[in-house]
Amino acid sequence: MNFENETIESLHEKLVSKECSARDIAEAFLEKAETEDKNIHAFLRIRRKEALAEADAVDEKIKSGESISMLAGIPIALKDNMLAIGEQATAGSKILETYKGSYDGTVVKKLKDAGAVFIGRTNLDEFAMGSSTENSAFGPTKNPHDITKVPGGSSGGSAASVAAGFVLGALGSDTGGSIRQPAAFCGTVGLKPTYGAVSRFGLIAMASSLDQIGPFTKTVRDARILFETIKGKDGRDATTSFDYGVESLDEQETKSLVVGIPKEFFISGISKEVEDTVRGVAEKLKGQKIVFKEISLPHTQYALSCYYIIMPAEVSSNLARLEGIRYGRIVHDVNNLKELYFKNRGAGFGKETRRRILLGTFVLSSGYYDAYYTKAQKVRRLIANDFEEAFKKVDVILGPTTPTTAFGFGEKTKDPVSMYLSDIFTISANLAGVPAMSVPVKKYKVGSGELPIGFQLIGKHFREADLFAIGELYESL
Ligand code: GLN
């Protein structure tokens, strides 16, 4: 059976009307993944046996006349930094090569309860640090649209798995753009929810004050479905806020939303192609009577520097617990404990991870703490204030997701700063904690030779509904 043009919603209907079984679906997606992923490497592991058992359980339910949830039987992929009981979770690092989750993370539990079928675990930059998946200890993922190009990162495997049609939805994590940037590069929808909307319990932490889990899908509607399933207050993550609904805005309400265009998002290194495309999106929406306003986010120029102090500080703290003894012991011939730490952490972490641990340790060290870390926290506040001011005038902010389309392998690995710059438009939303979504400008077909472009919608805290409304309106055009 061919499910190429299906979405979560349409496939759910086929299951309910018994046009196909969950097993038919799982077989088809597994087969595609097993044959075609050899060229892409979206997956670190494909779960044939387990996925078929999950599908059979859904078929049993349908047979016994029980009603099923929207995600039952739907093929999903998980980034390999999310814990599921008894299953490997490497975070793309050698230092966790043999680690297995000892419990289900909250998002995993919610998807299991919904009956999702987990096709496999996706590749990522080590500990989610990177913008291309070139930092994975297990080799890079390729962009399904052009295998000479990166898929973006760090959730490059999740983005590629959806773009290549191996699954209908995938979860990623976004600390500075790791869902939105690969979504833009691979032509999928990617949502970073409001900080505190989705539980981080069971997510291997990168930078805890910035990390959020969110979905990759083919359509905005499907992103809404996945988000509704994973969001919500969780006693196991004290930063989750409360249970809020995500209402559907009607046509009239959507048209009364005011959209802001930040002038700072159309400078600094943006390619003409991306700029013209994103301005084209605004023109299309204007045709729908959406009101636009030019706005300013004056501290945007400091976002990258601010992020590259706060993030490594948190990374160095979070990764301090890993010594490589239990889950990927690499060096055996050591004379004492200190040497063991040195050698195992030196060999177990990749270059970019070590760079960030060093940076983070430095900015937190006594004597430098106030000059760097405290200062960066103050700048973070100013960046958050920019959004607060802007959101007094507009409901949603529209701009590019990335300055360019997907770049080639090796193009930016020698110059870390050029790599960091690919997140210039995504980082502010993490610093401010507001929700943001990348939407592909059209339906990009793998094999058409075109490189995707995405535009970004940023909303008020806990107003994912506004992003979905504008995103769905744009899709309907
Ligand atoms: N690319 C950014 C970085 O390297 C963002 C990573 C992320 O969002 N996990 O830090």
Side-chain angles (χ1 to χ4, degrees):
M1 282 179 129
N2 184 332
F3 298 108
E4 223 156 79
N5 296 319
E6 304 296 338
T7 62
I8 293 177
E9 218 176 11
S10 69
L11 205 51
H12 173 72
E13 275 151 32
K14 287 210 157 114
L15 268 173
V16 173
S17 64
K18 303 201 166 86
E19 257 178 75
C20 63
S21 68
R23 185 171 256 268
D24 296 334
I25 296 171
E27 290 272 19
F29 280 87
L30 282 165
E31 158 109 24
K32 188 170 171 68
E34 280 161 349
T35 45
E36 294 174 27
D37 196 43
K38 292 192 178 79
N39 302 321
I40 310 281
H41 195 226
F43 289 109
L44 293 175
R45 265 156 273 115
I46 293 178
R47 302 170 73 255
R48 169 168 276 279
K49 209 172 97 223
E50 297 87 343
L52 289 176
E54 286 155 5
D56 288 345
V58 173
D59 285 332
E60 278 306 311
K61 249 189 167 176
I62 296 173
K63 227 185 262 158
S64 70
E66 261 182 80
S67 71
I68 56 163
S69 81
M70 184 63 97
L71 285 171
I74 302 296
I76 298 286
L78 288 177
K79 189 174 180 178
D80 210 31
N81 60 355
M82 294 174 199
L83 306 196
I85 189 160
E87 294 198 29
Q88 245 180 299
T90 63
S93 181
K94 265 196 273 178
I95 212 158
L96 285 180
E97 193 156 12
T98 65
Y99 174 67
K100 286 187 175 156
S102 50
Y103 59 90
D104 281 335
T106 299
V107 292
V108 172
K109 172 150 194 331
K110 286 187 171 189
L111 289 180
K112 277 188 180 174
D113 290 347
V117 171
F118 298 98
I119 298 294
R121 305 288 300 223
T122 59
N123 197 16
L124 67 154
D125 286 296
E126 186 173 23
F127 290 103
M129 295 188 266
S131 310
S132 65
T133 72
E134 290 168 290
N135 297 336
S136 167
F138 308 109
T141 297
K142 293 172 185 157
N143 192 318
H145 294 274
D146 174 352
I147 59 169
T148 68
K149 299 280 192 279
V150 305
S154 64
S155 314
S158 290
S161 71
V162 173
F166 302 155
V167 287
L168 288 182
L171 292 190
S173 60
D174 188 313
T175 306
S178 277
I179 293 175
R180 289 159 288 155
Q181 186 255 21
F185 279 8
C186 290
T188 76
V189 174
L191 168 74
K192 181 205 86 75
T194 309
Y195 186 78
V198 176
S199 170
R200 292 173 295 110
F201 180 69
L203 171 70
I204 299 175
M206 174 181 163
S208 309
S209 78
L210 301 158
D211 299 341
Q212 266 296 287
I213 294 174
F216 288 91
T217 50
K218 295 206 279 195
T219 63
V220 174
R221 174 91 196 127
D222 280 358
R224 180 200 284 270
I225 292 168
L226 261 175
F227 173 67
E228 299 242 17
T229 309
I230 60 174
K231 77 175 171 36
K233 188 164 176 55
D234 180 14
R236 292 180 154 125
D237 174 357
T239 62
T240 51
S241 291
F242 50 86
D243 282 308
Y244 58 100
V246 183
E247 73 259 48
S248 291
L249 305 187
D250 66 30
E251 209 177 303
Q252 222 34 52
E253 286 173 304
T254 305
K255 288 195 173 155
S256 69
L257 292 174
V258 181
V259 178
I261 304 269
K263 55 175 192 278
E264 292 82 2
F265 276 31
F266 289 91
I267 41 172
S268 63
I270 184 171
S271 79
K272 178 146 180 10
E273 188 192 4
V274 171
E275 169 159 8
D276 291 349
T277 306
V278 175
R279 290 203 190 274
V281 169
E283 284 309 313
K284 242 187 176 166
L285 288 169
K286 273 182 202 157
Q288 294 301 301
K289 302 207 165 55
I290 299 270
V291 176
F292 277 82
K293 270 193 186 153
E294 181 161 315
I295 56 161
S296 172
L297 298 168
H299 296 92
T300 300
Q301 55 174 315
Y302 305 113
L304 201 67
S305 328
C306 174
Y307 174 81
Y308 273 93
I309 291 175
I310 293 173
M311 174 274 296
E314 296 185 22
V315 162
S316 74
S317 313
N318 277 327
L319 301 189
R321 64 193 158 160
L322 300 171
E323 80 307 62
I325 298 176
R326 286 176 72 185
Y327 306 122
R329 183 155 178 177
I330 295 144
V331 180
H332 296 267
D333 63 327
V334 291
N335 298 311
N336 54 47
L337 191 61
K338 200 169 165 189
E339 213 180 292
L340 179 144
Y341 288 148
F342 270 116
K343 288 199 171 162
N344 272 338
R345 283 172 64 87
F349 290 130
K351 195 170 169 191
E352 181 63 23
T353 303
R354 278 178 284 141
R355 178 183 290 127
R356 296 194 192 194
I357 292 173
L358 286 173
L359 255 170
T361 310
F362 178 75
V363 301
L364 289 177
S365 59
S366 71
Y368 294 103
Y369 187 96
D370 283 334
Y372 292 104
Y373 186 71
T374 309
K375 186 96 170 249
Q377 291 291 16
K378 290 179 182 166
V379 175
R380 180 177 189 171
R381 170 39 60 195
L382 294 176
I383 289 166
N385 287 351
D386 281 357
F387 281 101
E388 249 165 57
E389 281 306 309
F391 284 134
K392 285 179 188 158
K393 294 178 219 125
V394 301
D395 301 288
V396 173
I397 293 169
L398 186 148
T401 307
T402 56
T404 63
T405 55
F407 46 87
F409 288 96
E411 220 175 276
K412 295 183 194 277
T413 40
K414 287 199 185 65
D415 176 8
V417 176
S418 76
M419 185 76 89
Y420 299 167
L421 279 169
S422 56
D423 302 310
I424 187 116
F425 301 129
T426 49
I427 275 169
S428 312
N430 300 75
L431 290 168
V434 292
M437 177 167 72
S438 183
V439 180
V441 170
K442 51 180 169 173
K443 293 218 178 318
Y444 290 95
K445 239 185 137 44
V446 167
S448 69
E450 258 184 309
L451 281 178
I453 294 175
F455 68 93
Q456 184 176 209
L457 297 168
I458 307 176
K460 299 176 182 171
H461 285 108
F462 302 108
R463 289 299 305 169
E464 282 81 2
D466 299 340
L467 307 185
F468 294 141
I470 300 278
E472 280 167 23
L473 172 67
Y474 177 78
E475 258 177 2
S476 73
L477 305 176

